[in-house]
Amino acid sequence: MENLLRPLIVIGGSVVLTVLIGWATDLLLRKADQRHPETPLWGLLRRGRIPYQLVLCAALLRGSFDHAQLLEQHRTAVGRALTLVLIGATAWLVVSITAAIVETTYSRYARAHRDPARVRRVRTQVTLIMRVVSAVVGVVAVASMLLTFPAMRAAGASLLASAGILGIVAGIAAQSTLSNLFAGLQIAFGDMVRLGDVVVVEGEWGTVDEITLTFLTVRTWDERRITMPVSYFTSKPFENWSRGGAQMTGTVFLHVDHAAPLPAMREQLRDILRGCPAWDGRHYDLAVTDSTPSTMEVRALVTAKDPDDLWTVRVTVREQLIHWLTETHPYALPRVNTADAVLPPTHPNAHPDGTPPRTTRSRVHEPPRSPGRA
């Protein structure tokens, strides 16, 4: 009877005590979360309930298993298995607690600062810090698990003796990996690129969607994902449109006839922008920037608060200006000038006063007139 009750008391008591302690701790965290709604720390700590209970249960079973006198012939194996579970659960719990603290710190910073650029910078740093912490804790946990085996402890001395040679070989073999690792840390704390930044890389326009210690993902405007090593951003030039503020100035180029009514086009540009919600109202302008024998180039200058709105403003201005010219000033559209050859004054068919023949002008791709028009 004693041989049956002792294992039940030891194992059952450990499980029951784990459940009670876990329930009491969760209750305290829930009450603290209700008393302090201004901080999400206590609610985030509740996410670590499972690793916390695993640590308690593994520790209680590891300390009391010898007294249970159960599976005597496998005591060493069971003890090592409980130790491995305890190490793994402890690493999981440490990562959960660290994530809760870091996320709480970021939330407070985001509420206190309204600058989106600074918030994105801190978010990038927080994300990479969590990845570094998780990697370090995981490596330490795996190393601790391996050291629980006597064979691994014996091999540790020989590994330490050849650490110098192994370090050189590993450094040469993992040169690109290490360069990406240090590049990731440089991006995190050098503030070169942040999550949510609008960048142009390799001729592609997109938004930084993910940053890790080894690679960076850019989401393009057509929802493609471009993945590249983070060392690219520390070794090659790229455009960061979100650096120093998101507001931008854009241009719209139109080719019109020399007879185009520029004052009326400026007024129409002003009316178009006033009716466009994406225009931020900072500035606009219209000027002739170039001229050819048949057309002149007109540049409309517009502003917007971010690249997305700038794209909307540009396409709106281009579409509505062309439509307005077509409807109200069709003569201002590009045309091809045609004329007879100018004859010399001594030619028999030349005009007596020496004036050249009459020049005719025809518009290219002129749409057919509707039946109702004269």
Side-chain angles (χ1 to χ4, degrees), residues 99-244:
I101 296 175
V102 171
E103 188 68 24
T104 301
T105 305
Y106 167 74
S107 300
R108 290 179 177 176
Y109 186 88
R111 288 197 302 267
H113 297 80
R114 300 300 180 182
D115 186 2
R118 297 179 63 182
V119 173
R120 290 200 307 271
R121 180 187 63 187
V122 174
R123 183 62 181 174
T124 303
Q125 295 174 352
V126 164
T127 302
L128 292 180
I129 287 174
M130 276 306 307
R131 294 182 185 275
V132 171
V133 171
S134 301
V136 171
V137 172
V139 170
V140 172
V142 172
S144 302
M145 290 179 179
L146 293 177
L147 290 177
T148 59
F149 297 92
M152 296 302 298
R153 287 198 300 266
S158 60
L159 289 176
L160 290 175
S162 58
I165 299 176
L166 290 177
I168 295 175
V169 174
I172 296 175
Q175 183 178 2
S176 60
T177 302
L178 292 176
S179 65
N180 283 328
L181 176 63
F182 288 113
L185 295 176
Q186 186 177 354
I187 285 177
F189 298 98
D191 196 26
M192 291 184 297
V193 62
R194 299 155 298 200
L195 290 172
D197 280 3
V198 178
V199 297
V200 179
V201 291
E202 299 293 336
E204 294 285 350
W205 179 90
T207 306
V208 178
D209 191 51
E210 182 182 7
I211 300 178
T212 69
L213 290 177
T214 55
F215 67 89
L216 185 147
T217 303
V218 176
R219 185 181 73 252
T220 60
W221 64 272
D222 53 356
E223 299 185 356
R224 290 180 291 118
R225 300 297 191 275
I226 301 177
T227 302
M228 56 186 62
V230 292
S231 59
Y232 175 92
F233 292 86
T234 58
S235 59
K236 295 183 179 180
F238 65 95
E239 296 182 29
N240 189 342
W241 291 6
S242 301
R243 182 85 174 180

Side-chain angles (χ1 to χ4, degrees), residues 19-37 39-47 49 53:
V19 173
L20 290 177
I21 295 176
W23 175 80
T25 305
D26 185 67
L27 181 61
L28 292 176
L29 291 176
R30 190 184 302 114
K31 290 184 177 180
D33 188 27
Q34 294 174 355
R35 292 179 181 177
H36 303 280
T39 174
L41 176 62
W42 310 110
L44 293 174
L45 286 176
R46 293 184 61 198
R47 298 179 181 178
R49 293 190 300 269
Q53 293 179 355

Side-chain angles (χ1 to χ4, degrees), residues 315-337:
V315 297
T316 301
V317 168
R318 185 181 296 110
E319 176 184 347
Q320 295 191 17
L321 264 182
I322 293 177
H323 178 73
W324 175 76
L325 288 174
T326 304
E327 291 293 325
T328 60
H329 301 281
Y331 63 89
L333 297 176
R335 293 179 291 177
V336 175
N337 297 332

Side-chain angles (χ1 to χ4, degrees), residues 67-89:
H67 301 285
Q69 297 181 2
L70 184 66
L71 300 176
E72 294 287 340
Q73 65 275 17
H74 301 291
R75 178 180 299 180
T76 303
V78 174
R80 183 171 294 122
L82 291 175
T83 302
L84 295 177
V85 173
L86 179 60
I87 294 173

